Amino acid sequence: MGNQEEMLIQKISEIYGDISNLPSLCPSKEVDMLFTELVLTCIPPVSTDVSKLSKEVQDMRCKLIKLCGEAEGLMESHYSDMLACYDNPLDHFDLFPYYSNYLKLSQLEYTLLARYVPSSPPTRVAFVGSGPLPLSSFVLAARHMQEAQFHNYDLDAAANARARFLVRGDPDMAARMEFHTADILGVTHELRGYDVVFLAALVGISHDDKVRVIEHLAHHMAPGAVLVARSAHGARAFLYPVVDPAADLRGFEVLTVHHPTDEVINSVIIARKPHGGHAAGAAVMRPCKCCEMMQGFHHFGQGSIMEEITLEELPS
């Protein structure tokens, strides 16, 4: 372990200790300060492979991700309740402090989808792990997939109730948003009806749970359907679980992987369920120093998009 990595882990461990001692993870000045410090610590690109860290550090990381997930859920519930006070909550999403991050992440995901999804627009989209403030679904539906029907899945009935209340002031969005309270592992034939399935980063916090969800999706999604899985890379893996494209996406053909280097935390993996059975020896993409301009997209009837994505194809 290099000196830089040692210092990083020591800093993260100290923040973890402070967060663990908090009496509550509900939004407050102290909670916001500590999680902001944690995020700023993990954002700089560091070549850290969390799978090779000591068991003690791995255990700390798992506990920290659970704390991050709990705090994120409480923050989203807090702002969902705040937004619900407006006649049309969708007009006030900029009150959420990380709204710009969701705009950038959704733009990235759409741009990657536009490259790899056939030109016919998706009409049915599923978002697994939508939560009480499903900003990703709202942004994608409003800005990028204006004709698609979105089906949002979450385990928490209260989260779905909050989310459903947010669309009441927008008839178009209300007509295109459905919310299902269900464990995705219990959803089977419905999954065959979606063109694209988004998998939220915090669905399946443990590695085994994450793989179990992905295998379930691979078994029940329609051939040709696309999975958009959110992951994490480097030190950002202390904030969110990692999806290993080579090992964890059996049953899918991995089309591309993108690791942002800005304030967008999540990596994005685009994978497709192949026709005629499970993928074997699928191509995997990874970021590199060679830049490839993705421009002039006219997919989904949205006109041209220009986005610089750093990608390199690995041998299969």
Side-chain angles (χ1 to χ4, degrees), residues 217-252:
L217 295 175
H219 184 68
H220 292 287
M221 285 170 60
V226 175
L227 173 68
V228 182
R230 294 177 179 177
S231 181
H233 182 68
R236 299 169 188 224
F238 283 93
L239 305 172
Y240 291 103
V242 173
V243 177
D244 183 340
D248 298 340
L249 286 165
R250 291 185 296 274
F252 288 99

Side-chain angles (χ1 to χ4, degrees), residues 50-51 61 65 201 204-207 210-211 214 230-234 236-238 240-245 248 269:
V50 293
S51 67
R61 171 181 168 264
I65 290 174
I205 289 181
S206 75
H207 180 260
K210 179 77 73 176
V211 170
I214 292 171
R230 294 177 179 177
S231 181
H233 182 68
R236 299 169 188 224
F238 283 93
Y240 291 103
V242 173
V243 177
D244 183 340
D248 298 340
I269 303 171

Side-chain angles (χ1 to χ4, degrees), residues 10-20 33-35 37-39 41 64:
Q10 180 180 349
K11 178 64 174 176
I12 292 173
S13 297
E14 291 172 357
I15 299 172
Y16 163 71
D18 292 337
I19 291 174
S20 300
M33 180 186 68
L34 282 173
F35 278 101
E37 184 181 10
L38 176 64
V39 169
T41 300
L64 181 57

Side-chain angles (χ1 to χ4, degrees), residues 71-85:
E72 186 172 310
L74 290 168
M75 178 176 64
E76 289 187 0
S77 293
H78 171 78
Y79 279 95
S80 184
D81 291 343
M82 179 188 297
L83 290 165
C85 297

Side-chain angles (χ1 to χ4, degrees), residues 19-305:
I19 291 174
S20 300
N21 291 325
L22 289 171
S24 169
L25 293 177
C26 291
S28 67
K29 184 176 181 180
E30 187 176 13
V31 170
D32 295 348
M33 180 186 68
L34 282 173
F35 278 101
T36 298
E37 184 181 10
L38 176 64
V39 169
L40 292 176
T41 300
C42 293
I43 278 182
V46 178
S47 57
T48 299
D49 184 348
V50 293
S51 67
K52 296 180 180 178
L53 299 176
S54 69
K55 185 180 183 305
E56 180 182 5
V57 174
Q58 300 240 25
D59 289 344
M60 180 272 291
R61 171 181 168 264
C62 290
K63 293 174 183 176
L64 181 57
I65 290 174
K66 290 179 181 178
L67 291 171
C68 289
E70 183 180 348
E72 186 172 310
L74 290 168
M75 178 176 64
E76 289 187 0
S77 293
H78 171 78
Y79 279 95
S80 184
D81 291 343
M82 179 188 297
L83 290 165
C85 297
Y86 292 93
D87 291 336
N88 188 354
L90 304 189
D91 291 338
H92 302 278
F93 277 161
D94 56 353
L95 294 176
F96 186 69
Y98 300 106
Y99 180 54
S100 63
N101 289 33
Y102 279 89
L103 292 177
K104 292 178 181 179
L105 177 57
S106 297
Q107 174 69 62
L108 170 62
E109 290 172 328
Y110 169 74
T111 302
L112 293 172
L113 274 172
R115 184 178 189 188
Y116 291 103
V117 175
S119 57
S120 56
T123 58
R124 286 172 58 84
V125 177
F127 198 99
V128 181
S130 47
L133 185 62
L135 286 171
S136 293
S137 288
F138 292 153
V139 171
L140 288 164
R143 292 173 175 253
H144 305 300
M145 302 179 186
Q146 287 105 337
E147 303 301 321
Q149 189 83 14
F150 279 73
H151 290 253
N152 301 280
Y153 289 87
D154 201 279
L155 284 168
D156 188 349
N160 278 331
R162 282 185 165 99
R164 191 178 293 110
F165 195 68
L166 294 178
V167 300
R168 73 190 188 282
D170 188 316
D172 173 70
M173 194 69 78
R176 294 197 293 127
M177 287 282 163
E178 295 190 25
F179 299 92
H180 308 280
T181 301
D183 183 341
I184 199 63
L185 294 177
V187 179
T188 54
H189 69 275
E190 293 93 340
L191 288 171
R192 295 188 63 83
Y194 301 122
D195 305 308
V196 181
V197 176
F198 286 82
L199 181 61
L202 289 170
V203 174
I205 289 181
S206 75
H207 180 260
D208 289 346
D209 287 344
K210 179 77 73 176
V211 170
R212 192 175 299 114
V213 170
I214 292 171
E215 288 178 346
H216 179 80
L217 295 175
H219 184 68
H220 292 287
M221 285 170 60
V226 175
L227 173 68
V228 182
R230 294 177 179 177
S231 181
H233 182 68
R236 299 169 188 224
F238 283 93
L239 305 172
Y240 291 103
V242 173
V243 177
D244 183 340
D248 298 340
L249 286 165
R250 291 185 296 274
F252 288 99
E253 175 191 6
V254 178
L255 302 175
T256 189
V257 181
H258 180 68
H259 301 304
T261 56
D262 58 8
E263 65 271 21
V264 175
I265 304 297
N266 291 125
S267 300
V268 178
I269 303 171
I270 309 291
R272 178 171 51 211
K273 181 174 177 178
H275 292 273
H278 291 297
V284 177
M285 310 286 284
R286 71 177 182 191
C288 73
K289 293 182 180 179
C290 303
C291 290
E292 182 176 347
M293 291 303 296
M294 297 170 60
Q295 56 185 336
F297 290 126
H298 294 273
H299 295 67
F300 309 160
Q302 295 298 311
S304 65
I305 296 174

